[in-house]
Amino acid sequence: LPATKALCNLDQEFGQHKYYPGIYLMLPTDRHVQHKNTLSNWGVDVVFIHGLLGGVFFTWRQQDKDNVRDFSTDQISGDDYTFCWPRDWLQDDASHVRVLGVDFDSYLSQWGGACPTQTFKSSLEERSEDILWRLRQAGIGDRPVVFVGHSMGGLIIKKMLVSAQNSGNEELERLAENTKGVIFYSTPHEGSQIANLNSLVKYFFFPTVEVQELEFGNPTLHELNAYFKQFVERFKTKVISFGEMIPTRHLGLDLTFVPPESSDPGVGEFYPVSYNHMDICKPESKKSILFRKFYNLVWDALDEASPFE
């Protein structure tokens, strides 16, 4: 993926788009060519955004129930397993589907990440503003787009879309209008249990701004979800959400990071599924509802975008 991005950035004649740090071209696997015949450029863009402690090279793997591949060094997909299902399972559709992965550093605690230049001040608003700018440089918004978010990644998507809608900027408003669908994998629309720590634990844990913003009852999250519902109503955006029903083992405790009352945004389709928070974005096969619902939404967007009868 890094090599593909580098080649695309060097290709100024036919590439046109710029992939800044943190934006990875998953598909097509060579480069995204822009034809001089604009009719040939039709298609749909799909953008994947991970959550806290996630990564474009980890979050979007196929489910590995025995965890035997977590520390694998080859990272090469095979016939029986993929380290990047958005890339490998959409390969046959690459002629009219471009897939981008967004990657960024995130931390649960300000004690983590020893980089001396890291300020840990990255709020949801700051993060979404930065990612939105980078995606625009990559041409996101010029044609129909589907966004996919796991956990906090879904909040970033909502914040970007609401900000784009109200920006007064023609390019960003076009991105809002061209957003045809959003997939949420266990997004904490009303907050997460990971932020519900008692005062003593918080003193030692020293949570980052991003974690603090995820507290249940945060009026900012409630307001954001209200604005997002208005967005969906205005642009008729398709929304599909999945909620975790199996606890995740964390710090010796079995936690439901995002309960159903928080993972259901109150708009679109909502599916409670038997996965924990870490596995809900890792379908075990193409037959999984986690993939099928996503794939059908992408195909609906493709059908709508096609210039041919």
Side-chain angles (χ1 to χ4, degrees):
L1 293 180
T4 300
K5 181 171 75 170
L7 290 173
C8 289
N9 284 338
L10 289 172
D11 188 355
Q12 295 300 312
E13 182 177 0
F14 297 105
Q16 296 186 14
H17 300 144
K18 192 78 171 179
Y19 298 97
Y20 279 84
I23 306 298
Y24 289 89
L25 179 64
M26 295 180 175
L27 276 180
T29 54
D30 46 8
R31 63 177 186 171
H32 182 59
V33 173
Q34 293 292 285
H35 301 277
K36 293 184 177 180
N37 170 19
T38 55
L39 186 62
S40 300
N41 292 326
W42 77 273
V44 171
D45 292 328
V46 185
V47 178
F48 286 79
I49 304 181
H50 65 76
L52 282 170
L53 300 183
V56 70
F57 303 108
F58 176 76
T59 297
W60 311 111
R61 297 181 177 189
Q62 185 177 357
Q63 185 178 159
D64 181 14
K65 292 183 178 180
D66 298 324
N67 296 318
V68 297
R69 299 178 176 87
D70 279 359
F71 303 102
S72 174
T73 57
D74 55 31
Q75 302 292 296
I76 299 175
S77 300
D79 293 336
D80 61 339
Y81 185 81
T82 171
F83 284 94
C84 184
W85 64 262
R87 175 193 63 203
D88 296 334
W89 291 354
L90 291 176
Q91 191 75 246
D92 294 340
D93 309 297
S95 57
H96 294 294
V97 176
R98 179 174 60 144
V99 182
L100 299 186
V102 176
D103 198 57
F104 57 88
D105 292 329
S106 61
Y107 304 91
L108 298 181
S109 169
Q110 296 189 48
W111 295 116
C115 176
T117 61
Q118 171 67 301
T119 64
F120 296 100
K121 297 299 183 183
S122 185
S123 65
L124 177 61
E125 183 172 359
E126 293 168 335
R127 181 82 74 186
S128 61
E129 181 180 352
D130 177 61
I131 293 175
L132 180 58
W133 181 86
R134 293 170 191 261
L135 289 175
R136 272 303 305 142
Q137 308 316 301
I140 295 299
D142 293 339
R143 63 183 193 171
V145 57
V146 172
F147 286 97
V148 182
H150 173 237
S151 193
M152 188 187 72
L155 299 179
I156 292 174
I157 291 170
K158 292 199 299 181
K159 184 63 177 177
M160 287 195 306
L161 295 179
V162 170
S163 297
Q165 173 191 4
N166 300 322
S167 65
N169 178 287
E170 184 176 342
E171 288 188 355
L172 293 180
E173 289 176 349
R174 184 167 66 248
L175 182 151
E177 186 174 355
N178 274 337
T179 298
K180 302 303 179 182
V182 181
I183 304 283
F184 295 116
Y185 291 111
S186 204
T187 290
H189 301 284
E190 299 293 340
S192 168
Q193 286 193 12
I194 196 172
N196 278 20
L197 305 170
N198 62 47
S199 57
L200 180 61
V201 174
K202 283 185 178 179
Y203 178 79
F204 289 104
F205 187 59
F206 209 26
T208 59
V209 172
E210 289 172 309
V211 172
Q212 295 174 43
E213 289 181 324
L214 296 181
E215 287 191 359
F216 274 111
N218 185 338
T220 302
L221 293 182
H222 186 76
E223 182 181 65
L224 175 61
N225 200 47
Y227 283 136
F228 178 70
K229 290 179 181 179
Q230 295 174 10
F231 177 96
V232 171
E233 176 64 26
R234 175 180 176 183
F235 296 109
K236 309 304 178 187
T237 311
K238 295 181 180 179
V239 178
I240 299 176
S241 305
F242 296 98
E244 65 198 71
M245 297 302 291
I246 295 179
T248 303
R249 192 72 176 173
H250 182 69
L251 298 177
L253 301 174
D254 289 325
L255 299 175
T256 300
F257 278 62
V258 185
E261 58 267 26
S262 184
S263 57
D264 183 357
V267 65
E269 303 174 23
F270 176 67
Y271 299 95
V273 290
S274 297
Y275 296 86
N276 66 26
H277 189 72
M278 303 305 294
D279 289 340
I280 198 168
C281 54
K282 297 176 175 64
E284 64 270 25
S285 72
K286 291 182 180 180
K287 296 180 180 180
S288 170
I289 188 174
L290 301 174
F291 178 76
R292 286 188 290 107
K293 287 293 181 178
F294 155 78
Y295 190 69
N296 290 341
L297 194 154
V298 171
W299 262 103
D300 286 344
L302 275 172
D303 287 342
E304 184 179 336
S306 174
F308 309 107
E309 294 294 338

